[in-house]
Amino acid sequence: MKLITHNMLTSKCIKGVLTGFPLAINATDIKIKEVDFNSEFITRVIPKLDWEVLWCAANSIGHSDGLPKTIEPKFEEDEEFLKKAHHVLLEIEVEEGHLTCPESGRQFPISKGIPNMLLTEAEVQ
Amino acid sequence: MSAVIKLKTLQGHLQDLNGFTKPKVQFEQYETPAHIAAVALYTIQTQYGSLQDKLVLDAGCGPGILSIGAVMMGAASVTAIDIDRDALEVLQENIDDLDINNIDTLLCDFLDEKTCRWENYFDTVLMNPPFGTKNNTGIDMRFLQMGLRCTCNSVYSLHKSTTRSHIEKKIKEWGVKGNVIAELRYDLPATYKFHRKQSQDIAVDLWRVYHSDS
């Protein structure tokens, strides 16, 4: 699981959960996998994200070094920043661990890099 | 628009991928044949430029032939989701074999809109949805509708040609636009025991469905 994917995941489908976002990350195995840098792409993706959630997620797994807490107005001109964002969003992979719903505490396992967001019928609202 | 590789090369790579190990009838798991995937992806890139440098979702990805093909056509990042863990593990094997690092896999129910905050998020959504033939009527339309929620631009989806007028009616109802951009033939091998014939030739349409303002 990449952090770009984590930025979009919620546990709102659980019965009684109101927002279910962001999910806490517990990572027992992290791998770094190189992805080609594309500044135009990263510039276009950043406004779609919840940046604070991204920063907190990266920080919680020990990968927020050099990542600013907030986005500067002219971030698209700062190549160093874009490269850092690229790395955090696309190159860090949580291979093993779990995600935790902030409200119910329900855990979603991540194994072989695949988060399992499936719920049983009884858990769904 | 240009393509980073040739159609023939793309099809050649896609033919070598691993497929479903144990197809499950409840999910209507029929593999997308390599020639269909290749022609579809090639058309999507060369006619509409919807893959190169794009953020792509492969909804109901199975072993991931569309995800992998999209990366080969230059997609920047692909999210591949499916409800079947076994299919995703085959996809993971495929991407490990090919040393691809820009596909992220997720086990979830695409039709549950609450799991992912994906409204207008992806540039392009690809899908070969369940045709909705086995106790699943209408599931293809639910996939298509959910795909439209997840994109700020277009959904590319494969459907039986016999459903063409039904889809035309639905997209009008939803206030979106769409047209068939390729007519293909799907040589469906007998995957399950209830199939009487060895293989069946089915006409399929590649649809491009998009928001009126995109």
Side-chain angles (χ1 to χ4, degrees):
Chain A
M1 183 198 68
K2 295 176 192 288
L3 295 187
I4 190 175
T5 301
H6 168 262
N7 209 269
M8 300 293 145
L9 290 181
T10 88
S11 52
K12 206 173 154 183
C13 40
I14 299 174
K15 207 184 288 179
V17 169
L18 297 176
T19 50
F21 181 79
L23 302 175
I25 305 176
N26 185 292
T28 53
D29 182 24
I30 293 173
K31 284 197 171 71
I32 306 296
K33 296 185 178 175
E34 204 177 310
V35 175
D36 290 343
F37 175 64
N38 179 333
S39 66
E40 179 269 336
F41 173 73
I42 290 295
T43 302
R44 221 155 41 76
V45 163
I46 286 172
K48 294 174 186 267
L49 305 170
D50 185 321
W51 189 263
E52 195 187 337
V53 166
L54 176 72
W55 189 89
C56 292
N59 192 49
S60 73
I61 57 170
H63 283 268
S64 63
D65 277 358
L67 191 71
K69 271 191 175 178
T70 51
I71 307 175
E72 296 295 323
K74 286 190 175 171
F75 72 87
E76 66 275 10
E77 293 167 10
D78 183 350
E79 181 151 300
E80 201 184 318
F81 163 73
L82 294 176
K83 281 191 172 156
K84 186 72 204 173
H86 162 84
H87 174 69
V88 169
L89 284 167
L90 300 176
E91 297 192 319
I92 297 170
E93 294 258 8
V94 179
E95 292 288 324
E96 301 291 327
H98 60 258
L99 299 168
T100 307
C101 166
E103 291 165 53
S104 68
R106 164 68 150 91
Q107 293 186 349
F108 299 91
I110 304 169
S111 97
K112 296 185 187 169
I114 309 169
N116 179 355
M117 300 304 295
L118 295 176
L119 295 166
T120 62
E121 233 162 83
E123 292 175 297
V124 178
Q125 45 197 353
Chain B
M1 267 148 280
S2 62
V4 287
I5 57 170
K6 288 184 180 157
L7 176 58
K8 241 185 171 169
T9 318
L10 177 65
Q11 185 172 335
H13 287 312
L14 297 182
Q15 265 157 0
D16 295 338
L17 299 176
N18 300 313
F20 288 114
T21 42
K22 298 164 273 183
K24 300 185 179 73
V25 68
Q26 75 269 30
F27 301 136
E28 282 193 62
Q29 291 177 330
Y30 301 102
E31 266 159 38
T32 312
H35 78 276
I36 296 241
V39 170
L41 294 164
Y42 197 80
T43 307
I44 292 165
Q45 174 54 28
T46 53
Q47 303 290 310
Y48 301 96
S50 294
L51 294 173
Q52 198 174 346
D53 300 330
K54 300 297 184 199
L55 180 61
V56 177
L57 173 69
D58 181 359
C61 61
I65 192 164
L66 293 175
S67 295
I68 290 166
V71 166
M72 289 172 174
M73 294 302 289
S77 179
V78 177
T79 306
I81 71 167
D82 206 282
I83 199 165
D84 178 29
R85 171 151 206 113
D86 294 337
L88 289 175
E89 288 196 5
V90 178
L91 168 57
Q92 203 68 49
E93 271 169 41
N94 280 326
I95 62 184
D96 289 346
D97 287 349
L98 292 162
D99 218 6
I100 289 175
N101 286 343
N102 54 348
I103 296 178
D104 210 15
T105 48
L106 181 63
L107 179 60
C108 74
D109 181 359
F110 179 57
L111 297 177
D112 183 346
E113 81 269 19
K114 288 180 190 150
T115 308
C116 302
R117 304 159 62 242
W118 282 342
E119 288 85 22
N120 305 317
Y121 176 68
F122 292 97
D123 296 316
T124 302
V125 176
L126 304 173
M127 56 172 78
N128 181 10
F131 286 150
T133 42
K134 199 76 192 162
N135 312 320
N136 250 342
T137 322
I139 193 170
D140 50 340
M141 290 299 105
R142 289 167 63 209
F143 259 74
L144 192 55
Q145 199 169 16
M146 188 60 69
L148 278 162
R149 275 180 64 117
C150 298
T151 181
C152 53
N153 201 309
S154 306
V155 180
Y156 296 89
S157 184
L158 291 160
H159 296 272
K160 276 187 181 174
S161 300
T162 51
T163 62
R164 194 180 295 179
S165 58
H166 180 63
I167 296 176
E168 280 165 356
K169 202 180 87 190
K170 281 287 173 190
I171 62 180
K172 206 172 274 176
E173 232 175 80
W174 298 336
V176 295
K177 289 183 178 165
N179 49 292
V180 174
I181 60 169
E183 294 179 359
L184 302 154
R185 297 206 75 84
Y186 200 126
D187 179 28
L188 199 67
T191 311
Y192 300 111
K193 282 190 185 136
F194 62 79
H195 290 153
R196 281 192 220 115
K197 292 182 200 155
Q198 267 305 309
S199 78
Q200 205 179 352
D201 204 24
I202 296 173
V204 291
D205 292 338
L206 173 61
W207 276 87
R208 172 175 183 251
V209 183
Y210 55 100
H211 297 286
S212 306
D213 52 359
S214 67

